[in-house]
């Protein structure tokens, strides 16, 4: 996983639409729509609120996410995360204290 941060959506900002990127994007604001990054990492900070269809390589969730997630490598959820929806990934880790309302599907890692 690369630490090459391409964008930061900070607190007090909002974005609606389709977001595509390579590298790492950090969200501490609000995002609604679609996120596409087959080779990137989306990090939703504890202040972040996302309602989206997400297709990324890696997802790290500390905040709120409602939607459909497909991660080709891994999904990590850490408190105080709150997830509502479906997640599909070859690797899913949900720490104690995370609210998970939805379903998960284990998929094979893409090569």
């Amino acid at each position: 996983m690369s630490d090459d941060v391409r964008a930061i959506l900070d607190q007090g900002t909002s974005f609606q639409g389709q977001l595509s990127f390579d590298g790492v994007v950090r969200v501490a604001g609000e995002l609604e729509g679609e996120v596409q990054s087959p080779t990137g990492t989306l990090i939703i900070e504890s202040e972040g609120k996302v309602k989206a269809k997400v297709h990324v390589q890696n997802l790290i969730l500390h905040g709120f996410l409602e939607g459909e997630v497909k991660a080709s490598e891994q999904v990590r959820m850490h408190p105080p995360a709150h997830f509502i929806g479906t997640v599909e990934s070859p690797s899913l880790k949900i720490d104690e204290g995370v609210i998970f309302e939805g379903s998960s599907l284990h998929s094979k890692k893409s090569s």
Side-chain angles (χ1 to χ4, degrees), residues 2 12-13 29 37 41 46 60 74 78 85 96 98 101 108-109:
S2 169
T13 60
S37 183
T41 298
S46 58
I60 301 170
Q74 65 178 348
H78 307 286
E96 187 175 342
V98 170
E101 299 178 63
K108 291 185 178 181
K109 191 171 185 175

Side-chain angles (χ1 to χ4, degrees), residues 9 19 21 24-31 35 41-54 56 58-67 69 75-83:
L9 186 62
L19 175 65
F21 64 92
V24 177
V25 167
R26 293 181 171 272
V27 176
E30 296 184 15
L31 186 150
V35 178
T41 298
L42 177 65
I43 300 171
I44 302 172
E45 304 289 355
S46 58
E47 307 84 7
K49 293 182 181 168
V50 175
K51 290 185 179 182
K53 188 176 203 177
V54 177
V56 293
N58 299 292
L59 171 67
I60 301 170
L61 178 64
H62 297 273
F64 177 83
L65 173 59
E66 180 178 348
V69 173
V75 173
R76 301 289 177 255
M77 298 183 186
H78 307 286
H82 185 171
F83 177 79

